[in-house]
Amino acid sequence: MAVTTNRLKGDTCERDWIWEREVEAAPWEETRRLSVAAWERQYRRLRESSPFYARRWKEAGAGSSFVSLADLSQLPFTTKDELKQALDEDPPFGSNLCVSPDQVKRVYQTSGTSGSPSVLALTRGDMETWTVMGTRSYYATGIHEHSSVLTTFGAGPFVAGHTHFVLMRIGARSVPVAPGDTERVVFGLRARLADTLLATASFAQYIANRLEKTDAEPRAIPLTHVVTGGEPGGGIPAIRDHIQKVLGVTVTEVMGIGDVAPSLFGECPHQQGMHFCGAGHVWVELIDPDTREPMEIETGAVGELVYTALTREAMPVVRFLGGDIVRIEGTSCACERTSFRMRVLGRRDDMFIVRGVNVYPTAILSVVGDFRPRVTGRARVVRTSPDTSIEPPVPIEVEVAEPHGSDGALVAEIEDAIHARLTFRGKVTLVPESDFGEAGYKTRLTRNVPLPSKGQG
């Protein structure tokens, strides 16, 4: 359902489709100039105000001389575990706070997808910066002041709650519903309260599956736009196409990362990948996931995103390993934005290796989605050890709407499709929807089930 204009189908407003054109459509040289100036200020402030980075840079041999943005690779990476250690050093905000505690005006927590949650402190300036980047991102998706948005992102404790500030800045009508409250979401859509649904890909898929079963004509609901975020999925063709076909909508994606900003990327109606929308506030690098050597951000490149906060006041990060493995889809667009576009292939944490080949669970979702309506579209890999390498057949659980435990034909078809498209053997188990787990927020793409110790059971 890609469009040939820069607006969503039916959008006839006359306002510019780019929120901050002077930044988002600026030549690369101008964007870099702004970033260089911001980094010079940030670097000096970190030296003076962050015991965490002052110590780390000294230990890494960075010395006391200035390190330019062009030489950023001379500085060490920052990991999630190191940020947690910084919090433990000086609770509650840690040794990287960089401002006085009384300047902290808002506190979020990360979702803890890859471990225990972290605390995120914001100053008033940080809140404004997040709102600016978020507004660029969501406006890029096609959410404008005339939109009515039913959002399932709660106000807290997660950073996705900052989306409420973004919708206010855009001027859209906001219809907030608690995460996972399926009945109120369905009521809101049927009552014509919204033309746009903001949800995780898992929940949007669940809503599409439900309405396909309960409504004779799901497209009769006046929903025109679904924006997914919080997890990969909205850019996976099998998931996106299903939601669009059932509901008659356009699906676009947003993405952020808690330790940096909740909204950094937004996909325009051309549906060719998510634009980077943090110019001037966040610097992004692309590195080889294995060697961690810098890579050029160019069409077709596949690597891990690394983030540096250029204007963050409280808890800024430098060369933070985001863990998202992405493919660069392009460095320009018909929508006139000049930032690069990308798709998320998967999380480094979720990746596993089968006989020397890197596999991301999102690739399995692409295969499983082709078996609707016999499956719901959700699936996950069962990990029995922390080892990255898995010997085939790889255990895979596939969600089905009704008990199909004895449907050997379906199991065999899915296993054959996985082998044909992903070149490894899988051992598929069909799991009823009631046992698979909630679809209201994120769906974990792996499930850890340690094997019993010798002598047990």
Side-chain angles (χ1 to χ4, degrees), residues 148-150 173 175 188-189 191-197 221-224:
S148 297
V149 185
L150 193 156
R173 175 191 296 161
V175 184
L189 297 179
R192 301 173 177 267
L193 297 180
D195 53 38
T196 303
L197 173 65
I221 293 174
L223 189 66
T224 60

Side-chain angles (χ1 to χ4, degrees), residues 98-282:
C98 295
V99 298
S100 61
D102 62 352
Q103 290 180 273
V104 174
K105 300 303 179 184
R106 196 166 186 84
V107 180
Y108 288 110
Q109 300 171 34
T110 63
S111 60
T113 300
S114 58
S116 58
S118 297
V119 172
L120 299 167
L122 302 179
T123 66
R124 286 193 177 92
D126 294 332
M127 293 169 65
E128 172 61 20
T129 299
W130 276 20
T131 301
V132 167
M133 292 188 288
T135 301
R136 293 177 190 168
S137 301
Y138 280 93
Y139 204 79
T141 70
I143 294 178
H144 295 170
E145 61 271 23
H146 53 75
S147 303
S148 297
V149 185
L150 193 156
T151 173
T152 62
F153 294 161
F158 308 140
V159 297
H162 206 83
T163 304
H164 296 282
F165 291 101
V166 169
L167 295 177
M168 289 175 62
R169 178 66 56 86
I170 291 174
R173 175 191 296 161
S174 179
V175 184
V177 177
D181 193 340
T182 304
E183 299 308 317
R184 288 192 180 274
V185 169
V186 172
F187 167 79
L189 297 179
R190 286 178 174 156
R192 301 173 177 267
L193 297 180
D195 53 38
T196 303
L197 173 65
L198 177 55
T200 62
S202 295
F203 190 62
Q205 180 176 236
Y206 174 74
I207 290 295
N209 291 340
R210 170 166 169 163
L211 294 177
E212 187 176 30
K213 289 187 296 183
T214 60
D215 291 32
E217 183 48 72
R219 287 170 171 253
I221 293 174
L223 189 66
T224 60
H225 188 198
V226 172
V227 180
T228 67
E231 63 180 2
I236 297 175
I239 295 175
R240 180 191 63 222
D241 294 350
H242 173 66
I243 296 171
Q244 293 188 154
K245 179 181 177 182
V246 172
L247 300 178
V249 299
T250 299
V251 174
T252 53
E253 280 191 295
V254 292
M255 194 194 88
I257 184 164
D259 292 281
V260 183
S263 306
L264 280 169
F265 298 87
E267 182 178 29
C268 75
H270 289 279
Q271 295 178 297
Q272 298 298 310
M274 291 179 280
H275 291 274
F276 173 59
C277 296
H281 297 292
V282 175

Side-chain angles (χ1 to χ4, degrees), residues 410-439:
L410 176 58
V411 168
E413 288 179 53
I414 297 174
E415 289 178 348
D416 288 346
I418 289 173
H419 185 239
R421 290 172 56 180
L422 304 180
T423 70
F424 66 85
R425 290 286 182 188
K427 181 176 177 55
V428 170
T429 301
L430 304 180
V431 179
E433 203 169 13
S434 56
D435 297 335
F436 197 89
E438 291 292 329

